[in-house]
Amino acid sequence: MVGRIFFAWMKGSRLDCDAKKWRLFADGLNDLAIFLEIVAPAFPPIFTLTICVSGVFKSIVGVAGGATRAALTMHQARRDNMADVSAKDGSQETLVNLAGLLVSLLLTPLVTDNILLTYLLYALFTSLHLYANYRAVRGVVMETLNQARLSLTVNDFLRLGKVPPPSSVNPREPLLPAFHRRLSVRLGAPLNSILHSAYDYQRATENNQKNYLLGLHRNAGTVSICLRQGAGSVDVIEACFHAEILHQLLHQDVSAWSVERDTFTQLQETVKAARDERLWDAVAATHLLVDQLFPRLLSEARSAGWETQRNQLGADEWRAQWRLEAKKRQ
């Protein structure tokens, strides 16, 4: 019970954003829990501890599996028929469990008192299970943008000059928990994580008439984005697009880009030569680039089939108010 509570508290807000990744994680953790139950009798001194750890793993599987199932069911309910999809998903699971029960009746007499065969069959069926789930999750094509899909989309846009469709991006989305960026994005951060003085406020709002403020901490490897009260989904996508441009400038080779190559090359040289940890000059300059490039990205993304009126970018709940010096670009 404590494991369920702590996992939901720590990772609950991320389950919607990376539903496919956490679905695969739940499957793998469930198989690990079963493995611990199988090997527990071989270690009598720690039998109780092993079974308890397996129970915690299964409780986490219950949270992650149930939550991601709901997210994927919502994605599959294209006619707003969540109840219908959920009912048929339950029937499919019941059918599979029935087939598993019949097979287990045949296998149980064979594996009784034969621990080697038990381990071999477990390894075989677990491998098939993980492979089938990986292929199933990989086949899901989601039209909403999360951090990973946005990163791939922006990268293709800058390199090739066009926005790829969801069917091209989803098969390349990383599904393993080991995936991490060299520059992490904190979206919906509190204002004091960006502004520490009047000078910071002046630099953060320079060339900026948007519904977000962005602060870069190069040494910490983070981009903090404070959203303005009333910021919508398009504003959130624009803020993450801006953060992705900064990530590319800091950690990627921009010489092969087809979009604004000369401008980005010059900016990258400026960034490399700068000693300012906050890189306010680069942030102000990229505001102008975002003004120029984002309308094109947004238009092509909608034409390619991406959903922009909602997103799964994982914004926190912090919002702030500040004065815009001029009328915001429509």
Side-chain angles (χ1 to χ4, degrees), residues 2-16:
V2 173
R4 291 175 64 93
I5 293 170
F6 268 95
F7 181 76
W9 170 63
M10 293 176 63
K11 297 296 183 181
S13 61
R14 303 301 307 172
L15 297 178
D16 278 306

Side-chain angles (χ1 to χ4, degrees), residues 170-211:
N170 276 263
R172 294 181 284 149
E173 181 183 357
L175 299 178
L176 299 178
F179 169 74
H180 64 278
R181 291 161 53 89
R182 296 176 64 183
L183 190 69
S184 63
V185 177
R186 188 183 181 190
L187 184 60
L191 194 61
N192 61 8
S193 66
I194 300 173
L195 308 180
H196 306 293
S197 65
Y199 173 78
D200 287 343
Y201 175 77
Q202 179 183 359
R203 298 310 306 272
T205 55
E206 187 177 351
N207 298 330
N208 180 12
Q209 298 301 320
K210 304 177 179 65
N211 278 333

Side-chain angles (χ1 to χ4, degrees), residues 82-103:
M82 277 195 63
D84 180 29
V85 174
S86 181
K88 290 175 179 174
D89 178 62
S91 297
Q92 176 180 288
E93 183 178 7
T94 301
L95 179 62
V96 172
N97 288 337
L98 177 60
L101 175 62
L102 296 176
V103 173

Side-chain angles (χ1 to χ4, degrees), residues 264-284:
F264 278 115
T265 301
Q266 183 179 358
L267 263 177
Q268 190 170 60
E269 292 174 353
T270 303
V271 168
K272 290 180 178 179
R275 296 185 178 181
D276 178 16
E277 195 261 337
R278 304 293 297 277
L279 295 177
W280 284 121
D281 290 336
V283 172

Side-chain angles (χ1 to χ4, degrees), residues 101-304:
L101 175 62
L102 296 176
V103 173
S104 70
L105 293 176
L106 299 175
L107 289 180
T108 300
L110 298 178
V111 302
T112 302
D113 299 326
N114 191 338
I115 193 66
L116 179 60
L117 182 59
T118 299
Y119 290 153
L120 289 176
L121 288 176
Y122 170 80
L124 173 63
F125 292 144
T126 298
S127 300
L128 291 174
H129 174 245
L130 291 177
Y131 175 75
N133 277 281
Y134 175 82
R135 296 293 298 176
V137 171
R138 180 60 77 192
V140 175
V141 178
M142 304 188 100
E143 295 83 12
T144 51
L145 290 165
N146 63 3
Q147 293 288 353
R149 292 191 288 271
L150 178 66
S151 178
L152 292 169
T153 300
V154 173
N155 188 57
D156 282 3
F157 172 71
L158 295 175
R159 287 191 305 106
L160 306 176
K162 60 180 181 180
V163 174
S167 58
S168 171
V169 172
N170 276 263
R172 294 181 284 149
E173 181 183 357
L175 299 178
L176 299 178
F179 169 74
H180 64 278
R181 291 161 53 89
R182 296 176 64 183
L183 190 69
S184 63
V185 177
R186 188 183 181 190
L187 184 60
L191 194 61
N192 61 8
S193 66
I194 300 173
L195 308 180
H196 306 293
S197 65
Y199 173 78
D200 287 343
Y201 175 77
Q202 179 183 359
R203 298 310 306 272
T205 55
E206 187 177 351
N207 298 330
N208 180 12
Q209 298 301 320
K210 304 177 179 65
N211 278 333
Y212 66 87
L213 296 179
L214 184 147
L216 172 64
H217 298 264
R218 178 164 55 174
N219 294 338
T222 60
V223 173
S224 298
I225 300 173
C226 178
L227 297 173
R228 198 166 188 266
Q229 188 72 35
S233 176
V234 172
D235 296 306
V236 173
I237 295 173
E238 183 177 11
C240 290
F241 171 65
H242 193 165
E244 186 61 34
I245 285 182
L246 289 171
H247 175 265
Q248 298 282 343
L249 286 173
L250 286 170
H251 301 297
Q252 302 294 330
D253 180 15
V254 301
S255 61
W257 288 3
S258 62
V259 176
E260 298 292 336
R261 180 190 309 165
D262 295 338
T263 303
F264 278 115
T265 301
Q266 183 179 358
L267 263 177
Q268 190 170 60
E269 292 174 353
T270 303
V271 168
K272 290 180 178 179
R275 296 185 178 181
D276 178 16
E277 195 261 337
R278 304 293 297 277
L279 295 177
W280 284 121
D281 290 336
V283 172
T286 48
H287 273 299
L288 298 176
L289 274 174
V290 170
D291 287 338
Q292 180 181 350
L293 295 178
F294 183 72
R296 175 184 167 187
L297 173 78
L298 183 64
S299 176
E300 292 189 14
R302 288 170 173 169
S303 299

